Coordinates of all heavy atoms in Angstrom, one line a residue:
C1 N -5.5 17.7 18.6 CA -4.9 16.8 19.7 C -5.7 16.9 21.0 O -6.3 18.0 21.3 CB -3.5 17.2 20.0 SG -2.4 16.9 18.5
D2 N -5.7 15.9 21.8 CA -6.2 15.9 23.1 C -5.1 16.2 24.1 O -4.0 16.5 23.7 CB -6.9 14.5 23.4 CG -5.9 13.3 23.4 OD1 -4.6 13.6 23.5 OD2 -6.3 12.2 23.4
P3 N -5.5 16.3 25.4 CA -4.4 16.7 26.4 C -3.2 15.8 26.5 O -2.2 16.2 26.9 CB -5.2 16.7 27.7 CG -6.6 16.9 27.3 CD -6.8 16.2 26.0
A4 N -3.3 14.5 26.0 CA -2.2 13.6 25.9 C -1.3 13.9 24.8 O -0.2 13.3 24.6 CB -2.7 12.2 25.9
G5 N -1.7 14.9 23.9 CA -0.8 15.2 22.7 C -1.0 14.4 21.5 O -0.2 14.5 20.6
I6 N -2.0 13.5 21.5 CA -2.2 12.7 20.3 C -3.6 13.1 19.7 O -4.4 13.7 20.3 CB -2.2 11.2 20.6 CG1 -3.3 10.8 21.6 CG2 -0.9 10.7 21.1 CD1 -3.5 9.3 21.9
V7 N -3.7 12.7 18.4 CA -5.0 13.1 17.7 C -6.2 12.5 18.4 O -6.2 11.3 18.7 CB -5.0 12.6 16.3 CG1 -6.3 12.9 15.6 CG2 -3.9 13.4 15.5
F8 N -7.2 13.3 18.8 CA -8.4 12.9 19.3 C -9.2 12.3 18.2 O -9.5 13.0 17.1 CB -9.1 14.1 19.9 CG -10.5 13.8 20.5 CD1 -10.6 12.8 21.4 CD2 -11.5 14.7 20.3 CE1 -11.9 12.5 22.0 CE2 -12.8 14.4 20.9 CZ -12.9 13.4 21.8
Y9 N -9.6 11.0 18.2 CA -10.0 10.2 17.1 C -11.1 10.9 16.3 O -11.2 10.7 15.0 CB -10.4 8.8 17.5 CG -11.7 8.7 18.2 CD1 -12.9 8.5 17.6 CD2 -11.7 8.8 19.6 CE1 -14.1 8.4 18.3 CE2 -12.9 8.7 20.3 CZ -14.1 8.5 19.6 OH -15.3 8.4 20.3
P10 N -12.1 11.6 16.9 CA -13.1 12.3 16.0 C -12.5 13.2 15.0 O -13.1 13.5 13.9 CB -14.0 13.0 16.9 CG -13.9 12.3 18.3 CD -12.4 11.9 18.3
R11 N -11.3 13.8 15.3 CA -10.7 14.7 14.3 C -10.3 14.0 13.1 O -10.2 14.6 12.0 CB -9.5 15.4 15.0 CG -9.8 16.2 16.2 CD -10.7 17.4 15.9 NE -11.1 18.0 17.1 CZ -12.4 18.1 17.6 NH1 -13.3 17.5 16.9 NH2 -12.6 18.7 18.7
Y12 N -10.0 12.7 13.2 CA -9.7 11.9 11.9 C -10.8 11.9 11.0 O -10.7 11.9 9.8 CB -9.3 10.5 12.3 CG -7.9 10.2 12.8 CD1 -7.7 9.4 13.9 CD2 -6.8 10.8 12.2 CE1 -6.4 9.1 14.4 CE2 -5.5 10.6 12.6 CZ -5.3 9.7 13.7 OH -4.1 9.5 14.2
F13 N -12.1 11.8 11.5 CA -13.3 11.8 10.7 C -13.4 13.2 9.9 O -13.8 13.2 8.8 CB -14.5 11.5 11.5 CG -14.5 10.1 11.9 CD1 -14.0 9.7 13.2 CD2 -15.0 9.1 11.1 CE1 -14.0 8.4 13.6 CE2 -15.0 7.8 11.5 CZ -14.5 7.4 12.8
E14 N -13.0 14.3 10.6 CA -13.0 15.5 9.9 C -12.0 15.6 8.8 O -12.2 16.1 7.7 CB -12.7 16.7 10.9 CG -13.8 16.9 11.9 CD -13.4 17.8 13.0 OE1 -12.2 18.2 13.2 OE2 -14.3 18.3 13.8
M15 N -10.8 15.0 9.1 CA -9.7 14.9 8.0 C -10.2 14.1 6.9 O -9.9 14.4 5.7 CB -8.5 14.3 8.6 CG -7.8 15.2 9.6 SD -6.3 14.4 10.3 CE -6.3 15.2 11.9
I16 N -10.9 12.9 7.2 CA -11.4 12.1 6.1 C -12.4 12.9 5.2 O -12.3 12.8 4.0 CB -12.1 10.8 6.7 CG1 -11.0 9.9 7.3 CG2 -12.9 10.1 5.6 CD1 -11.5 8.8 8.1
N17 N -13.3 13.6 5.9 CA -14.2 14.4 5.1 C -13.5 15.4 4.2 O -13.9 15.7 3.1 CB -15.2 15.1 6.0 CG -16.4 15.6 5.2 OD1 -17.2 14.9 4.7 ND2 -16.4 17.0 5.1
D18 N -12.5 16.0 4.8 CA -11.7 17.0 4.0 C -11.1 16.3 2.7 O -11.1 16.9 1.6 CB -10.5 17.6 4.8 CG -11.0 18.6 5.9 OD1 -12.2 19.0 5.8 OD2 -10.2 18.9 6.8
A19 N -10.6 15.0 2.9 CA -10.0 14.3 1.8 C -11.1 13.9 0.8 O -10.9 14.0 -0.5 CB -9.3 13.0 2.3
V20 N -12.3 13.6 1.2 CA -13.4 13.3 0.3 C -13.8 14.5 -0.4 O -14.0 14.5 -1.7 CB -14.6 12.7 1.1 CG1 -15.8 12.6 0.2 CG2 -14.2 11.3 1.6
E21 N -13.9 15.6 0.3 CA -14.3 16.9 -0.4 C -13.3 17.3 -1.4 O -13.7 17.7 -2.5 CB -14.5 18.0 0.6 CG -15.1 19.2 0.1 CD -15.5 20.3 1.1 OE1 -15.6 20.0 2.3 OE2 -15.8 21.4 0.6
A22 N -12.0 17.1 -1.1 CA -11.0 17.5 -2.1 C -11.0 16.5 -3.3 O -10.8 17.0 -4.4 CB -9.6 17.4 -1.4
M23 N -11.3 15.3 -3.1 CA -11.4 14.3 -4.2 C -12.6 14.7 -5.1 O -12.4 14.7 -6.3 CB -11.6 12.9 -3.7 CG -11.6 11.8 -4.7 SD -13.2 11.3 -5.4 CE -14.1 10.9 -3.9
F24 N -13.7 15.0 -4.5 CA -14.8 15.4 -5.4 C -14.5 16.7 -6.2 O -14.9 16.7 -7.4 CB -16.1 15.7 -4.5 CG -16.9 14.5 -4.3 CD1 -16.7 13.5 -3.4 CD2 -18.0 14.3 -5.2 CE1 -17.4 12.4 -3.2 CE2 -18.8 13.2 -5.0 CZ -18.5 12.2 -4.1
A25 N -13.8 17.6 -5.6 CA -13.4 18.9 -6.4 C -12.3 18.6 -7.4 O -12.5 19.0 -8.5 CB -13.0 20.0 -5.4
D26 N -11.3 18.0 -6.9 CA -10.1 17.9 -7.7 C -10.0 16.8 -8.8 O -9.5 16.9 -9.8 CB -8.8 17.8 -6.9 CG -8.7 19.0 -5.9 OD1 -9.2 20.0 -6.2 OD2 -7.9 18.8 -4.9
V27 N -10.6 15.6 -8.4 CA -10.6 14.5 -9.3 C -11.9 14.3 -10.1 O -11.9 14.1 -11.3 CB -10.4 13.2 -8.5 CG1 -10.4 11.9 -9.3 CG2 -9.0 13.3 -7.8
L28 N -13.1 14.5 -9.4 CA -14.3 14.3 -10.1 C -14.8 15.6 -10.7 O -15.8 15.7 -11.4 CB -15.4 13.7 -9.2 CG -15.0 12.4 -8.6 CD1 -16.1 11.9 -7.7 CD2 -14.8 11.3 -9.7
D29 N -14.2 16.8 -10.4 CA -14.6 18.1 -10.9 C -16.1 18.4 -10.5 O -16.9 18.9 -11.4 CB -14.4 18.2 -12.4 CG -14.4 19.6 -12.9 OD1 -14.1 20.5 -12.1 OD2 -14.8 19.9 -14.0
W30 N -16.5 18.0 -9.3 CA -17.8 18.2 -8.8 C -17.7 18.7 -7.4 O -18.0 17.9 -6.4 CB -18.7 16.9 -8.9 CG -20.1 17.0 -8.8 CD1 -20.9 18.2 -9.0 CD2 -21.0 16.0 -8.4 NE1 -22.2 17.9 -8.8 CE2 -22.3 16.6 -8.4 CE3 -20.9 14.7 -8.0 CZ2 -23.5 15.8 -8.1 CZ3 -22.0 14.0 -7.7 CH2 -23.3 14.5 -7.8
P31 N -17.3 19.9 -7.2 CA -17.1 20.4 -5.8 C -18.3 20.4 -5.0 O -19.5 20.6 -5.5 CB -16.5 21.8 -6.0 CG -16.9 22.2 -7.4 CD -17.0 20.9 -8.2
F32 N -18.2 20.3 -3.7 CA -19.4 20.2 -2.8 C -20.3 21.4 -2.9 O -21.5 21.3 -2.8 CB -18.9 20.0 -1.3 CG -18.6 18.6 -0.9 CD1 -18.5 17.6 -1.8 CD2 -18.5 18.3 0.4 CE1 -18.3 16.3 -1.4 CE2 -18.2 17.0 0.9 CZ -18.1 16.0 -0.1
E33 N -19.7 22.6 -3.2 CA -20.5 23.8 -3.3 C -21.5 23.7 -4.5 O -22.6 24.3 -4.5 CB -19.7 25.1 -3.4 CG -18.7 25.2 -4.4 CD -17.3 24.7 -4.1 OE1 -17.2 23.9 -3.1 OE2 -16.3 25.1 -4.7
D34 N -21.1 22.9 -5.5 CA -22.0 22.6 -6.7 C -22.9 21.4 -6.4 O -24.1 21.5 -6.6 CB -21.2 22.4 -7.9 CG -20.4 23.6 -8.4 OD1 -20.7 24.7 -8.0 OD2 -19.5 23.4 -9.2
L35 N -22.3 20.4 -5.9 CA -23.1 19.2 -5.5 C -24.2 19.5 -4.6 O -25.3 19.0 -4.8 CB -22.1 18.2 -4.9 CG -22.6 16.8 -4.6 CD1 -21.4 15.9 -4.5 CD2 -23.4 16.7 -3.3
H36 N -24.0 20.3 -3.6 CA -25.0 20.6 -2.6 C -26.1 21.5 -3.0 O -27.0 21.7 -2.3 CB -24.3 21.1 -1.3 CG -23.6 20.1 -0.5 ND1 -22.5 20.4 0.2 CD2 -23.7 18.7 -0.5 CE1 -22.0 19.2 0.8 NE2 -22.7 18.2 0.3
Q37 N -26.0 21.9 -4.3 CA -27.1 22.7 -4.9 C -28.3 21.8 -5.2 O -29.5 22.3 -5.2 CB -26.7 23.4 -6.1 CG -25.6 24.4 -5.9 CD -26.0 25.6 -5.1 OE1 -27.1 26.1 -5.2 NE2 -25.2 26.0 -4.1
T38 N -28.1 20.5 -5.4 CA -29.1 19.6 -5.8 C -29.2 18.3 -5.0 O -30.1 17.5 -5.2 CB -28.9 19.2 -7.3 OG1 -27.6 18.6 -7.5 CG2 -29.0 20.4 -8.2
G39 N -28.3 18.1 -4.1 CA -28.3 16.9 -3.3 C -27.1 16.9 -2.3 O -26.6 17.9 -1.9
A40 N -26.7 15.7 -2.0 CA -25.6 15.5 -1.0 C -25.0 14.1 -1.2 O -25.5 13.3 -1.9 CB -26.0 15.8 0.4
V41 N -23.9 13.8 -0.4 CA -23.3 12.5 -0.4 C -23.0 12.1 1.0 O -21.9 12.0 1.4 CB -22.1 12.4 -1.3 CG1 -22.4 12.4 -2.8 CG2 -21.1 13.5 -1.0
P42 N -24.1 11.8 1.8 CA -23.8 11.5 3.2 C -23.1 10.1 3.3 O -23.2 9.3 2.4 CB -25.2 11.4 3.8 CG -26.1 11.2 2.7 CD -25.5 11.8 1.5
T43 N -22.5 9.8 4.5 CA -21.9 8.6 4.7 C -22.9 7.6 5.2 O -23.7 7.9 6.2 CB -20.8 8.8 5.8 OG1 -19.8 9.6 5.2 CG2 -20.1 7.4 6.2
A44 N -23.0 6.4 4.6 CA -23.9 5.4 5.1 C -23.2 4.3 6.0 O -23.8 3.7 6.8 CB -24.5 4.7 3.9
S45 N -21.8 4.2 5.8 CA -21.1 3.2 6.5 C -19.7 3.7 6.7 O -19.1 4.3 5.8 CB -21.1 1.9 5.8 OG -20.3 0.9 6.4
F46 N -19.1 3.3 7.9 CA -17.7 3.6 8.2 C -17.1 2.4 9.0 O -17.8 1.9 9.9 CB -17.6 4.8 9.1 CG -16.9 6.0 8.6 CD1 -17.5 7.3 8.6 CD2 -15.7 6.0 8.0 CE1 -16.9 8.4 8.1 CE2 -15.1 7.1 7.4 CZ -15.7 8.3 7.5
Q47 N -15.9 2.0 8.6 CA -15.2 1.1 9.4 C -13.7 1.6 9.4 O -13.1 1.9 8.4 CB -15.2 -0.3 8.7 CG -14.2 -1.3 9.3 CD -14.6 -1.7 10.7 OE1 -15.7 -2.0 11.0 NE2 -13.6 -1.8 11.5
V48 N -13.2 1.8 10.7 CA -11.9 2.4 10.8 C -11.1 1.5 11.7 O -11.5 1.1 12.8 CB -11.9 3.8 11.4 CG1 -10.5 4.4 11.5 CG2 -12.8 4.7 10.6

């Protein structure tokens, strides 16, 4: 939160990344700690 007591919008992007990381681990069975041994999955585009 920011001083106004609401979520500071960049924190949403951190939460989104947490959701993506969880999906890779839990749904695709390809956790980031394994994926990042040979590559990565950077974001190319965002619309919020």
Side-chain angles (χ1 to χ4, degrees):
C1 298
D2 63 16
I6 61 174
V7 171
F8 182 47
Y9 74 92
R11 301 296 174 244
Y12 281 136
F13 291 92
E14 293 171 346
M15 293 177 209
I16 290 168
N17 192 71
D18 291 345
V20 169
E21 186 169 350
M23 184 267 304
F24 269 82
D26 300 340
V27 175
L28 299 179
D29 196 29
W30 196 23
F32 275 13
E33 58 268 22
D34 294 342
L35 186 159
H36 288 151
Q37 297 296 315
T38 58
V41 288
T43 298
S45 174
F46 245 129
Q47 170 66 41
V48 181

